[in-house]
Amino acid sequence: MLKPSPSSFSAPETTSAKKRYQAEACVAKHTGDRTEQQDRAAVFAHPTRKGTLMAVLADGMGGHSGGAMAAEQVILKARQNFEAFAPASESATDLLRSIVDEAHIVIKLTRFTSEQDPHSTAVVFMMQPDRADWAHCGDSRFYHFRAGKLVTRSTDHSLVEELVRKGRLDPEGALRHPNRNVLLSCLGSEREPRVDFGHASPLVGGDAFLLCSDGLWAYIGEEETGLILANMSPRDAASALIELARQRARGSGDNISLAIVKLVEVDNNKRTR
């Protein structure tokens, strides 16, 4: 059995209401029961702005290497635009939109230079001191938990989510629906992508942010996910979530990818010793 491949780091501290927080982060992926890993995920700190980091996740589609190529373009564009981020002249929403829109264009252009028809979802998250912003397109998800309780979840741009919203399907039925993988919006399609945005401020210790592909969320409920994130470090939580998803997939699981960012309060007494 393949093991999850988590990587983690601690971002610079941020200060809020005279309290200090350390952002702990982890990225993990598992191929699942597929022959190729077409998910991509990354977390990186801003090269010059203390307390500012970005997490990004993309679930590629397109057959053979096409999906992986599309997902990789999302990661590359996110890193490039994030490193050039200048808050004095660009808002967080502007930055997130530029990442999604420009990745969409690049993915469309690759259709002319390859035999694939590449597409990708995208979830992009940026944390600044005492503020978090995010954007998403497709059915990869963004979650914000506070002390284990769900604060917000992104709404999938999928056929079944639309049916649930209209009251024609319940959430349990959506997980079993034969068209559950049909997307209404994604990067690389002829139609301009739908991009939804959100933000949270102020941030508090215990805030946990999860970006994940459908290979994870299809098997684990929100309450269970929140408890795992609240009681474990990001690295341990990533391993636990992937293990649960693999058990419940019963040999038919999709690629799994996730990124976790969690704010942990720093003990000021320990800092002064």
Side-chain angles (χ1 to χ4, degrees), residues 1-2 11 18 35 63 70 95 98-99 116 121 123 126 146 149-150 158 183 187 194 202 210 213 235 237 246 273:
M1 174 179 171
L2 292 174
K18 298 183 180 180
T35 57
L95 171 66
S98 74
I99 291 169
Q116 290 90 13
T121 68
V123 187
M126 182 171 69
R146 178 164 289 172
K149 303 296 183 182
L150 181 68
S158 65
L183 299 184
L187 278 62
R194 171 185 170 185
L210 170 68
S213 63
R235 187 180 182 89
R246 294 294 300 134
R273 289 176 184 173

Side-chain angles (χ1 to χ4, degrees), residues 56-62 66-67 70-71 73-75 77-78 96-111 117-124 135-139 157 183-195:
V56 58
L57 182 143
D59 180 353
M61 301 160 283
Q73 290 300 328
V74 178
I75 304 297
K77 182 54 64 175
L96 299 178
R97 178 170 284 283
S98 74
I99 291 169
V100 175
D101 287 349
E102 292 174 25
H104 168 66
I105 293 171
V106 172
I107 293 168
K108 284 183 67 176
L109 290 174
T110 62
R111 296 169 64 183
D117 185 21
H119 300 83
S120 181
T121 68
V123 187
V124 189
H136 97 285
C137 176
D139 66 349
H157 301 149
L183 299 184
L184 301 181
S185 183
C186 65
L187 278 62
S189 64
E190 289 298 325
R191 184 184 304 175
E192 288 301 303
R194 171 185 170 185
V195 187

Side-chain angles (χ1 to χ4, degrees), residues 114-268:
S114 68
E115 297 180 357
Q116 290 90 13
D117 185 21
H119 300 83
S120 181
T121 68
V123 187
V124 189
F125 167 79
M126 182 171 69
M127 178 184 290
Q128 301 178 79
D130 208 28
R131 180 182 176 92
D133 293 85
W134 57 88
H136 97 285
C137 176
D139 66 349
S140 295
R141 288 187 178 178
F142 173 84
Y143 294 89
H144 175 198
F145 294 94
R146 178 164 289 172
K149 303 296 183 182
L150 181 68
V151 177
T152 189
R153 167 177 83 77
S154 59
T155 301
D156 303 336
H157 301 149
S158 65
L159 174 63
V160 293
E161 186 88 344
E162 187 69 10
L163 294 175
V164 170
R165 188 183 66 81
K166 293 180 177 180
R168 295 166 57 185
L169 190 66
D170 61 31
E172 291 73 22
L175 293 174
R176 302 186 298 271
H177 198 280
N179 294 324
R180 61 186 177 276
N181 294 323
V182 175
L183 299 184
L184 301 181
S185 183
C186 65
L187 278 62
S189 64
E190 289 298 325
R191 184 184 304 175
E192 288 301 303
R194 171 185 170 185
V195 187
D196 291 346
F197 299 91
H199 74 274
S201 181
L203 305 179
V204 302
D207 275 347
F209 304 94
L210 170 68
L211 294 67
C212 66
S213 63
D214 60 340
L216 183 76
W217 64 253
Y219 300 102
I220 308 175
E222 294 165 1
E223 183 176 354
E224 191 173 14
T225 300
L227 288 174
I228 290 172
L229 292 174
N231 294 304
M232 295 184 182
S233 69
R235 187 180 182 89
D236 289 343
S239 294
L241 289 168
I242 287 178
E243 184 176 354
L244 274 176
R246 294 294 300 134
Q247 290 173 356
R248 295 170 182 177
R250 298 178 183 273
S252 60
D254 199 352
N255 293 161
I256 300 171
S257 61
L258 61 93
I260 299 170
V261 179
K262 184 176 181 180
L263 277 180
V264 179
E265 187 172 341
V266 176
D267 188 335
N268 288 319

Side-chain angles (χ1 to χ4, degrees), residues 10-81:
S10 293
E13 294 172 7
T14 182
T15 303
S16 172
K18 298 183 180 180
K19 292 184 178 180
R20 293 181 179 275
Y21 301 102
Q22 184 80 19
E24 298 180 353
C26 179
V27 172
K29 294 182 292 182
H30 196 294
T31 307
D33 298 294
R34 301 293 190 257
T35 57
E36 181 186 7
Q37 174 60 268
Q38 298 200 22
D39 288 2
R40 296 291 186 272
V43 179
F44 31 83
H46 194 278
T48 60
R49 298 191 174 278
K50 185 177 180 180
T52 302
L53 63 80
M54 175 166 283
V56 58
L57 182 143
D59 180 353
M61 301 160 283
H64 302 293
S65 62
M69 184 189 339
E72 190 66 32
Q73 290 300 328
V74 178
I75 304 297
L76 291 173
K77 182 54 64 175
R79 185 183 294 273
Q80 180 182 34
N81 289 19

